[in-house]
Amino acid sequence: MGAVEQPVVDRENENNESGKEGREEEEERDEVGAKRTEKGEVGLQEELIQPHASKGFQVSRLQRLNPSNPLRIVINGGSRVTTPPIPLQSQPPFTQTPAPQQQSVISLNSRGYTNKISLFLFVLHVVVAIGLVGFLIFKGIQGLLKPGNAERKEKVVLKYFLPQAEAAAFLSITLAFLWQKAVRVRPKFMVHFIIWSSFAMSLSAGILLICFQKPATNGLGVCLLAFAIGNGLYACWVTQRIGFCSKVLVKSLEPVSKFPDLNRPTYWMLAAGLMWMSVWVLAVIGALNFYFPPLIIIALVLSLAWTAEVMRNVANLTVSRVIALYYLRGMQSSTQFCFQRAVTRNLGSACLGSLFGPAIEALRILARGLNLIEGEDEFMFSCAHCCLNTMQSVFRYGNGWAYVQIAAYGKNFTKASMETWALFERQEMEAIVDSDITTSVCFLSGVCSGSICVIMVAAWTAKVHQGFTATISLLAFFIGYLMTRISLALPHACVSCYYVCYAEDPENRLFDRIIPDRLNLIKSGRDAVIPTPRVPRRFTS
């Protein structure tokens, strides 16, 4: 038995050794194939396989390969056949779609400067104004140090003119802070209070100036009385609009609490305005010692008006960007970053809007005034509709609603005005925004502050030097009005953002039903917008 079993054992050992060698060679070839697969060489190069003498090895190799392995081969007469590749149609091409907000991010962070020509003109104007103010202050000091009539005149002006002017500046900034705080805390009450207090204060200031019995003060007093009468009529006319205006103002001020530093740009503009006006008053005094004092003072007044309006619109742009990005993107923007954009990239639009915006608004009011007296006499009043339609067309290319899109998207003033008005037309909101009285409320608050400054300064000046009463009263009214308008840039910008952002995205969950309900009432005829009144025919025939 032992002699017979020995050859059997030897054959089994040989078969085991042959199987081990086959498996080792198979593993080596699998490793080579895997490396080629990682390098992307599968299907591009073919490797020649030499046939083995042992047919059992070939079958064993085929059985051990994974059927899904791309390296699996079918040996047929020494040839190699690869499995066909998967058709390309079954593998849809991978296309990387851009994020939906990519374009919005680019447009919201535009790097271009808007209205560069206006920016250049304003910067040039500031340089010239600083030089002129410095020169006039030098002339004032020179007249003060030079003995003679000029010295006595300068001393009188410094003693009886400068203290009242500086006091008017400090009173105006105090009133500006009070107005802004009161409007943010009690907006609904302040709308009624501003409309009627401006009537009372302007009436009181006019009566006070007339009581001095001077030609100059009488002229100013009559102007204030005429304005007070118009203010009272306007207050009665817009009574039905006050409720809706109060609702919009209250709702639009809600996001302000989410940005604790949103008031800082307004405070910075008020501080800069106070410093510039204090120096500007000294330049007015120095202009009295130079050639053509009336022309120089008029130029200084126009320069101050443009500069203060630019300051107001810088604060407007800052607040508009913060609030607009909150409405449209839900972003908590940095107030400091928005302020930097307002004083750099968007400053040109602020300069252009400050130069032409008030003029367009004034001409539009004048056209409406002509339309008020338009009657049946076509010969006398044929130009009323023409003037109004012309100003309506001009208003499309320059209006105060444009600052929202200027701040949010970096558009120029004219383009932003047209596209904003197109948004209102698409949502059928022209009647609502056209009847909004927020701008009028801000304007009347400035008139109220100016009248308070007139009362204080006129009573003071009449006791010490009555000859300066009219001049110092006009100057105090101007300073008080400008400072208050700067302070109310925040509520004005919030209301503008509420209207414009709603027109752009009416389905935003941050908006309530104030505007849609108003539109539904207007369309149904239950709450029609108050039409422009006409003079009855019996008064025009």
Side-chain angles (χ1 to χ4, degrees):
M1 293 294 292
V4 176
E5 292 177 354
Q6 183 65 32
V8 176
V9 174
D10 294 338
R11 285 194 298 269
E12 292 177 355
N13 292 335
E14 291 177 359
N15 292 334
N16 292 335
E17 292 175 358
S18 176
K20 291 180 179 179
E21 293 176 358
R23 285 193 297 270
E24 292 175 357
E25 187 174 357
E26 177 187 352
E27 292 174 356
E28 292 176 359
R29 294 184 182 278
D30 289 340
E31 291 177 0
V32 173
K35 292 179 180 180
R36 290 173 179 254
T37 302
E38 294 176 357
K39 296 178 181 179
E41 297 178 354
V42 177
L44 299 178
Q45 296 180 359
E46 292 186 356
E47 181 182 307
L48 295 177
I49 309 293
Q50 297 293 336
H52 293 276
S54 176
K55 185 177 180 179
F57 167 73
Q58 294 175 359
V59 174
S60 174
R61 185 177 184 274
L62 290 173
Q63 290 176 349
R64 296 179 63 86
L65 284 177
N66 192 340
S68 62
N69 194 332
L71 295 177
R72 181 176 183 179
I73 61 173
V74 179
I75 301 176
N76 186 7
S79 63
R80 178 178 182 268
V81 181
T82 61
T83 57
I86 300 175
L88 295 177
Q89 290 79 2
S90 63
Q91 296 179 353
F94 176 74
T95 58
Q96 184 178 3
T97 58
Q101 295 182 353
Q102 185 68 23
Q103 184 66 27
S104 299
V105 172
I106 294 175
S107 61
L108 289 176
N109 294 278
S110 59
R111 298 181 179 274
Y113 285 79
T114 59
N115 298 108
K116 298 179 182 179
I117 297 178
S118 302
L119 177 60
F120 172 76
L121 292 177
F122 179 75
V123 172
L124 180 63
H125 148 264
V126 170
V127 173
V128 173
I130 292 175
L132 178 61
V133 168
F135 175 75
L136 292 176
I137 292 176
F138 168 76
K139 294 295 293 184
I141 297 175
Q142 186 181 31
L144 183 64
L145 298 177
K146 185 178 180 180
N149 294 331
E151 179 187 9
R152 290 192 296 270
K153 186 177 180 179
E154 287 291 331
K155 288 183 178 180
V156 171
V157 171
L158 290 176
K159 184 177 181 180
Y160 301 115
F161 186 93
L162 182 61
Q164 290 91 317
E166 297 295 340
F170 282 98
L171 177 61
S172 64
I173 195 172
T174 303
L175 292 173
F177 283 114
L178 292 177
W179 282 120
Q180 191 200 60
K181 181 66 175 179
V183 169
R184 288 191 291 113
V185 174
R186 299 288 301 276
K188 187 174 182 179
F189 168 78
M190 289 304 297
V191 172
H192 295 81
F193 180 78
I194 288 172
I195 291 176
W196 289 107
S197 64
S198 60
F199 163 73
M201 292 295 103
S202 58
L203 182 65
S204 302
I207 294 174
L208 177 63
L209 291 175
I210 292 177
C211 291
F212 294 138
Q213 297 297 315
K214 296 288 184 180
T217 57
N218 288 341
L220 290 178
V222 169
C223 292
L224 286 174
L225 284 179
F227 180 84
I229 294 172
N231 190 0
L233 295 175
Y234 178 79
C236 296
W237 181 41
V238 300
T239 302
Q240 299 182 23
R241 302 183 189 179
I242 294 177
F244 179 74
C245 176
S246 301
K247 291 180 181 179
V248 173
L249 183 59
V250 171
K251 184 63 179 178
S252 63
L253 289 175
E254 289 181 358
V256 176
S257 60
K258 302 180 182 297
F259 304 94
D261 59 344
L262 193 57
N263 289 317
R264 289 182 183 176
T266 305
Y267 297 156
W268 294 337
M269 292 295 100
L270 286 174
L274 178 64
M275 294 175 59
W276 178 245
M277 287 181 184
S278 300
V279 177
W280 180 84
V281 170
L282 297 176
V284 171
I285 296 175
L288 300 176
N289 266 345
F290 197 58
Y291 302 104
F292 308 109
L295 295 179
I296 297 296
I297 293 176
I298 291 175
L300 290 174
V301 168
L302 294 177
S303 173
L304 179 62
W306 191 17
T307 304
E309 190 69 12
V310 170
M311 290 180 179
R312 182 178 74 88
N313 286 326
V314 165
N316 191 340
L317 287 172
T318 304
V319 177
S320 295
R321 181 171 177 84
V322 173
I323 302 299
L325 295 186
Y326 172 75
Y327 280 137
L328 300 177
R329 301 291 184 268
M331 298 171 57
Q332 296 281 344
S333 304
S334 170
T335 304
Q336 183 177 359
F337 174 74
C338 295
F339 177 73
Q340 291 174 356
R341 285 184 61 90
V343 297
T344 53
R345 305 188 187 281
N346 298 332
L347 184 60
S349 296
C351 299
L352 181 62
S354 302
L355 186 62
F356 293 105
I360 293 174
E361 290 284 354
L363 292 176
R364 192 166 180 244
I365 293 173
L366 178 62
R368 286 185 171 183
L370 292 175
N371 205 35
L372 287 175
I373 62 175
E374 183 262 331
E376 299 296 332
D377 192 343
E378 296 182 0
F379 180 77
M380 290 293 293
F381 304 103
S382 60
C383 65
H385 284 301
C386 180
C387 292
L388 183 59
N389 292 333
T390 301
M391 293 315 303
Q392 291 287 78
S393 301
V394 174
F395 187 72
R396 291 175 177 269
Y397 298 94
N399 53 73
W401 306 103
Y403 293 110
V404 178
Q405 292 215 1
I406 293 172
Y409 301 110
K411 301 176 182 179
N412 61 56
F413 181 73
T414 305
K415 182 179 180 181
S417 299
M418 293 188 295
E419 294 186 0
T420 302
W421 198 255
L423 287 175
F424 290 151
E425 291 179 341
R426 187 178 64 188
Q427 300 298 334
E428 299 179 351
M429 293 174 55
E430 310 101 293
I432 292 181
V433 299
D434 196 43
S435 61
D436 181 71
I437 62 173
T438 305
T439 303
S440 300
V441 170
C442 295
F443 170 76
L444 293 177
S445 63
V447 172
C448 185
S449 294
S451 300
I452 293 174
C453 292
V454 167
I455 294 173
M456 186 270 294
V457 169
W460 182 2
T461 308
K463 293 291 292 183
V464 295
H465 198 285
Q466 198 169 4
F468 290 156
T469 303
T471 305
I472 197 64
S473 298
L474 185 60
L475 182 63
F477 181 87
F478 187 59
I479 293 175
Y481 171 81
L482 293 178
M483 294 295 285
T484 302
R485 289 305 305 271
I486 294 174
S487 68
L488 293 182
L490 186 145
H492 192 192
C494 291
V495 173
S496 299
C497 288
Y498 189 83
Y499 281 113
V500 176
C501 294
Y502 175 84
E504 185 171 345
D505 186 12
E507 304 299 328
N508 195 319
R509 61 181 178 83
L510 296 175
F511 301 113
D512 56 6
R513 299 290 305 173
I514 295 178
I515 295 179
D517 291 344
R518 178 77 169 180
L519 286 174
N520 293 333
L521 291 175
I522 293 174
K523 292 178 181 179
S524 62
R526 290 177 292 170
D527 188 10
V529 178
I530 302 174
T532 302
R534 300 279 187 261
V535 177
R537 181 177 180 178
R538 63 180 181 273
F539 295 111
T540 59
S541 59

